[in-house]
Amino acid sequence: MNAIMTIVSRALLVTAACLAFVAPSTAADKVTFLTSWFAQAEHGGFYQAKATGLYEKAGLDVTIKMGGPQVNGSQLLLAGEADFLMGYDIQVLKGREQGLPLVTVASSFQFDLQGIMAHDDVADLAALKGKPILISGSSRTTFWPWLRAKYGYTDDQIRAYTFNLQPFFAVPRCRSSPISRPNRSRRSSRASR
């Protein structure tokens, strides 16, 4: 029995060696994936697949890059900095409308979650006309053009939203007064009231 196992083992080794010379050895396909934000729970599956070797088993050498505030994923994709990105449906639709070669290959969410947070003195979206609106960089090409056309907003209203709510809560000018340069003495007198 031991002799048979030795013969079978040697035969398997010879067969494996022959196949190694006959079958072309292929390197894993390199793929760069850009997430929509810093690493967070909704991205867990992508990082888990990397950590457990699922990508490698599928013949992929995946690099995961994180998005973040003011990162325009579509621009990075079109510039060749990423092969795939976690984006939004409106990004692809607006890109296609402009003749950009964007294609959706999968959906991470059943619904695209977007929202606008306003102070209680804002009755509706129309009431934001002429007031500062904090939006992310990618919003400029997704839902902002629609809001601008529908409600008469202007690009002068845009303020960079860095995913920090402090300006929304701390700066009264962000919620109710028309756009103008902040007057520091006036702001500090308001804060001391």
Side-chain angles (χ1 to χ4, degrees):
M1 181 73 169
N2 208 9
I4 295 173
M5 290 301 287
T6 303
I7 294 170
V8 170
S9 296
R10 285 183 183 162
L12 287 174
L13 283 173
V14 169
T15 304
C18 289
L19 288 175
F21 288 110
V22 173
S25 97
T26 57
D29 291 329
K30 290 186 179 289
V31 175
T32 301
F33 176 68
L34 178 67
T35 65
S36 58
W37 190 240
F38 298 125
Q40 57 186 345
E42 69 190 61
H43 306 150
F46 303 116
Y47 290 100
Q48 183 68 19
K50 176 79 173 166
T52 59
L54 289 176
Y55 294 133
E56 288 80 11
K57 286 178 188 173
L60 299 172
D61 177 9
V62 176
T63 299
I64 300 174
K65 291 184 178 181
M66 292 186 284
Q70 309 310 322
V71 171
N72 188 323
S74 294
Q75 285 181 339
L76 293 174
L77 179 74
L78 293 168
E81 295 295 316
D83 300 301
F84 297 94
L85 71 100
M86 178 184 238
Y88 301 97
D89 53 356
I90 298 174
Q91 269 179 302
V92 176
L93 294 173
K94 287 298 292 179
R96 298 294 294 186
E97 179 182 80
Q98 297 168 5
L100 301 175
L102 300 175
V103 177
T104 298
V105 294
S107 176
S108 298
F109 298 105
Q110 187 172 5
F111 299 100
D112 185 7
L113 307 172
Q114 296 291 330
I116 292 181
M117 182 171 65
H119 289 274
D120 57 4
D121 63 339
V122 176
D124 55 21
L125 289 173
L128 290 171
K129 185 174 181 180
K131 296 182 181 184
I133 300 174
L134 285 72
I135 63 171
S136 66
S138 62
S139 302
R140 291 174 185 250
T141 58
T142 57
F143 64 84
W144 178 253
W146 177 81
L147 288 172
R148 193 177 53 215
K150 173 97 173 154
Y151 296 102
Y153 299 164
T154 66
D155 288 343
D156 292 336
Q157 291 180 253
I158 295 175
R159 302 293 183 272
Y161 176 51
T162 61
F163 298 84
N164 175 354
L165 293 175
Q166 183 182 9
F168 178 79
F169 293 121
V171 181
R173 292 182 119 8
C174 269
R175 66 173 181 237
S176 61
S177 56
I179 298 173
S180 62
R181 293 199 64 93
N183 180 335
R184 292 196 179 272
S185 61
R186 192 169 153 199
R187 265 198 335 171
S188 59
S189 66
R190 279 188 179 175
S192 62
R193 285 188 214 167

